[in-house]
Amino acid sequence: MTEKTGTTGTTETTGTTGTTETTETTGTTETTETTGTTETTETTGTTGTTGTTGTTGTTDTTGTTDKYDVVVVGGGAAGLSAALVLGRARRRTLVVDAGEPRNAPSAHMHGFLSRDGMSPAGFLAAGREEIARYGVGLVRDRAVDAVRDAAGEFDVALAGGRTVHARHLVVATGLRDELPAVPGVAERFGRDVLHCPYCHGWEVRDRAFGVLATSPLSVHQALMVTQWSEDVTLFLHRVGEAELSDDDLRRLAAAGVHVVPGEVAGLVVEDDRLSGVRLAGGTPSGGGTTHAREVLFVAPRALPRTDLLRGLGAELRETPFGTYPVIDERGLTTVPGLWAAGNAGGFAEQVINAASRGYRAGAAINGELLFTDLDAAVAAQSTAHSTARR
């Protein structure tokens, strides 16, 4: 299941797991998270935050800036996974969650071992409960700006007026799917208008598939979905037949994919189910030929949420699927201390891949912090010894 960022609202959860009680609310309402004898209080707005994680952590009492080892922007699979690793490493960590998961339109996620069929909302709720056990803070807010100070650390401004300070910053803000402007597509997205056969193909197998072309690359999508149905029609929409290569045409024919030229005017829905794809033209009312289809696959335009990365000077690279930061195998960008995980760092990160990326970044950050502090301690001892000998 691809990690998705939609436009749906924030899911609020209140529950008790073991000795951990989590209450999360939006606005300026206080959020209290208790784990054993460790209490972390996260408050939106400009009020300060008091937190204790194991025996580490720094508390700022000025009421304007809260100091953390790591701030994670984004509360999806990548962000929560990074936060979980950091919390278990006794790092004072804050997750800033705007509540815009990419997979919100989907009722279920698939392909995540041991979590196959789980709802995206349920998955994230479980993740929030898990990070709370280790004293990780979570605030429902949006990071609107970030600056890197002279020491190479980060001040992150939140929409609610609060500023948080971090030695390292993880950007796990995902991406937004821009759907084709065809009537009915957005309304059915995540139900019978789909984009990923690995995420949803099994559930709709052997039905009449359509594929709505958004570029010549849609040929690849049409060929892929033939693994789940033998009845596949590629609607070229605004892609010209001349834009398809000879190899494309030969493969489509070999796969038994029917190619239909012409612009798609809209979808036909009956009894809350997709029943057809209607072409433009035809009657004066705009009705054209309708092709009976039960499922429609589309390829949304990916819009990575890279504003924070761009603003901090991270090098970006252009790909056919959007603009993403240049990162190493751990997720470190070209800016020291600035990390990217999940769909903020690449297009093809399903939920399980995004969680893995977050885990890897979290472990790497803990190592970076540990050895930075050890090197500073060694340097301080060396200076002290030199002074004492004078």
Side-chain angles (χ1 to χ4, degrees):
M1 177 72 192
T2 302
E3 184 187 16
K4 304 174 186 173
T5 304
T7 57
T8 61
T10 301
T11 302
E12 302 299 333
T13 61
T14 302
T16 303
T17 303
T19 60
T20 302
E21 180 180 342
T22 304
T23 305
E24 299 170 339
T25 53
T26 55
T28 57
T29 304
E30 188 176 90
T31 300
T32 302
E33 300 172 344
T34 305
T35 305
T37 59
T38 302
E39 179 174 325
T40 303
T41 303
E42 297 300 337
T43 308
T44 59
T46 57
T47 304
T49 296
T50 302
T52 305
T53 305
T55 58
T56 63
T58 303
T59 302
D60 178 80
T61 58
T62 64
T64 55
T65 302
D66 308 322
K67 297 181 179 179
Y68 295 88
D69 289 324
V70 185
V71 167
V72 179
V73 181
L80 292 176
S81 183
L84 180 63
V85 172
L86 289 161
R88 286 177 54 83
R90 308 177 77 182
R91 293 296 177 184
R92 189 162 193 261
T93 304
L94 177 70
V95 176
V96 180
D97 183 15
E100 297 175 337
R102 185 185 177 199
N103 59 1
S106 299
H108 305 95
M109 52 179 247
H110 296 280
F112 196 123
L113 190 64
S114 82
R115 295 294 180 267
D116 188 70
M118 191 175 190
S119 74
F123 176 79
L124 295 181
R128 289 191 290 266
E129 290 180 4
E130 288 176 2
I131 65 170
R133 297 173 196 165
Y134 303 101
V136 174
L138 185 147
V139 62
R140 302 295 193 139
D141 210 334
R142 182 183 302 279
V144 294
D145 193 19
V147 295
R148 190 164 180 259
D149 63 20
E153 298 183 353
F154 302 89
D155 288 314
V156 183
L158 308 186
R162 176 180 172 188
T163 299
V164 292
H165 182 88
R167 296 175 66 187
H168 282 240
L169 178 62
V170 179
V171 176
T173 45
L175 60 82
R176 180 171 64 86
D177 288 313
E178 184 180 78
L179 295 166
V182 172
V185 166
E187 293 80 358
R188 306 299 303 179
F189 189 58
R191 302 174 66 186
D192 37 29
V193 174
L194 309 170
H195 83 293
C196 172
Y198 292 104
C199 308
H200 307 289
W202 175 265
E203 285 66 39
V204 296
R205 63 194 183 280
D206 296 327
R207 299 184 191 175
F209 286 5
V211 176
L212 179 64
T214 54
S215 78
L217 292 176
S218 295
V219 169
H220 176 77
Q221 188 178 37
L223 296 171
M224 288 296 298
V225 300
T226 60
Q227 182 62 27
W228 287 268
S229 174
E230 295 180 353
D231 184 359
V232 178
T233 297
L234 173 62
F235 296 96
L236 292 182
H237 190 39
R238 295 174 181 173
V239 176
E241 291 182 81
E243 296 181 62
L244 306 187
S245 69
D246 290 341
D247 282 345
D248 288 338
L249 295 173
R250 281 192 288 266
R251 285 173 175 160
L252 290 167
V257 176
H258 181 47
V259 179
V260 175
E263 185 171 349
V264 172
L267 307 184
V268 179
V269 177
E270 299 174 328
D271 297 327
D272 199 29
R273 292 176 181 270
L274 178 66
S275 62
V277 174
R278 181 171 54 82
L279 300 184
T283 68
S285 62
T289 304
T290 296
H291 294 258
R293 297 287 94 184
E294 299 171 281
V295 178
L296 183 68
F297 282 89
V298 300
R301 179 188 176 205
L303 300 175
R305 300 178 185 274
T306 55
D307 289 349
L308 290 178
L309 296 167
R310 189 186 302 274
L312 288 165
E315 182 182 348
L316 302 177
R317 59 188 175 86
E318 297 292 335
T319 79
F321 306 103
T323 303
Y324 298 91
V326 174
I327 56 176
D328 67 12
E329 68 278 1
R330 304 169 301 163
L332 180 63
T333 71
T334 54
V335 177
L338 178 62
W339 305 73
N343 280 138
F347 171 74
E349 300 292 358
Q350 280 83 7
V351 178
I352 194 167
N353 302 121
S356 174
R357 286 288 189 178
Y359 187 107
R360 183 177 297 185
I365 291 168
N366 178 61
E368 292 270 346
L369 289 170
L370 176 64
F371 284 98
T372 295
D373 292 344
L374 288 174
D375 289 346
V378 169
Q381 289 175 352
S382 178
T383 299
H385 292 158
S386 298
T387 303
R389 287 196 297 267
R390 292 175 185 168

